[in-house]
Amino acid sequence: MMTTVFNIENLNLFYGDFHALKNIDMVIYKNQVTALIGPSGCGKSTFIRCLNRMNDLIPEAKMEGCVRFDGEECQIGGYDVIGLRKRVGMVFQKPNPFPMSIFDNVAFGPRQQGIKQKEVLQGIVEKALKQAALYEEVKDRLTSSALSLSGGQQQRLCIARALALEPEVILMDEPTSALDPLATQRIESLINDLKEDYTIVIVTHSMQQAARISDYTAFFYMGELREIDTTEKIFKAPRLKQTEDYITGRFG
Amino acid sequence: MNERQHFERQLAKLRTRVVTMMNDVADQYKRVRQALELNDKKLAHGLIAFDEDINQQEIDINENVLSIIIRETPVATDLRMVITAIKIASDLERVADYACNIAKYIIHTQAQALYTDAIDAFFPPILAMFDQLAQAYADKDLELAMAVAKQDEQIDDLFEKHVKKFIRITKTEINTSAEEAARAILVIKQLERTGDHLTNIAEAIIYHQKATHIVLN
């Protein structure tokens, strides 16, 4: 029996009058990679932003329903949102390193948490960079600007920055769509390594990427979760014709 | 959809190749039956020569599938369709070899009604299977694909009946008669195997449509 990290029940989200997510029921399993696929505007990104309450930052977004993280309702007032975002890290489509050194980028979160001792920070930064498979490439220039790194390296730096806070879940919103094939391959292989210790939810437009890296695939369409199943089942014989039509490129 | 048009054309081309191969192999069986009935050694030679063409068709289908996988990375029903094409082509190629072996039998043996009549009895169900398969494949008709198994049962019964008879001959007769019976056993064994391979094709057609493995016989 697999442990669940997120239990989502009857989740609805509105941007003003626009009903962006409709009655989503979904479970996210621990140490599994769950890929979210579906045409643009189907609600994938909006959905993952519910998982660490990033939608709180959008004034007109209104959420209904229940999202339980680690058994606890995390959408209610009074819930420790900062703590939630520490435990549920996020990596975005475009690498967004801060305009500071490689070291300071990774140390940023831990410093915010109040960690000051140099040796402790060094240990955290080294560990996170190693986990993000970037350490060997940057170990001799940790004080250089993060902006001097290539796009693929910047994205791995952002993953290291998320890992430095020792999250339980990493949300990735099209993390490779701005990267070349080799950099994409490195991130994909990294995702595969990371799932040993983390739960990963990834939004992707690449069907092949979903097929390569995920354990579960969820198909969203017009704000609804239409089908979720093991990735093998989805790409071998999905239950719904609509899913089949989407993954085979017949629409979308 | 426009963006799929090229892909759809490639899938249609692959389907046509499979249908053509199926028809060509069925023709080989029609010819070998005729050669058997008329003791026509020339016809038998002709169909052996055509086997090269059948082998090439299998290679072409495999190459075609490889190219589709590389270029289009098909999934779901499309993936099952191309994988099924490889399986069907492989079974057809083997079945065509059996037709050649029977042609060789015709070339090298003196026809005796006792054996040729027994061998001939296998052809109606086999040819019916080919017809059903061609239609089931073209129309995606699962019931028809299932029906193929019925013919295979008939073939198995024929085999049991005749093999016993021929084995008796090998035990009681000596010299040439025993050898002829033994050769006839080899031929009907190939026809029995033909039924099995054609049943495999029916299973592949069902797999393509339903994504489940069904053992028909």
Side-chain angles (χ1 to χ4, degrees), chain A residues 205-216:
Chain A
H205 271 129
S206 160
M207 238 50 79
Q208 289 310 311
Q209 182 167 70
R212 281 193 297 268
I213 63 171
S214 69
D215 302 295
Y216 286 86

Side-chain angles (χ1 to χ4, degrees), chain B residues 5 12 14 36 50 56-57 60 115 117 142 172 217:
Chain B
Q5 254 176 20
L14 179 63
L36 183 79
F50 190 68
Q56 188 58 45
Q57 289 188 46
D60 291 345
Y115 301 118
D117 287 355
L142 295 184
T172 53
N217 195 7

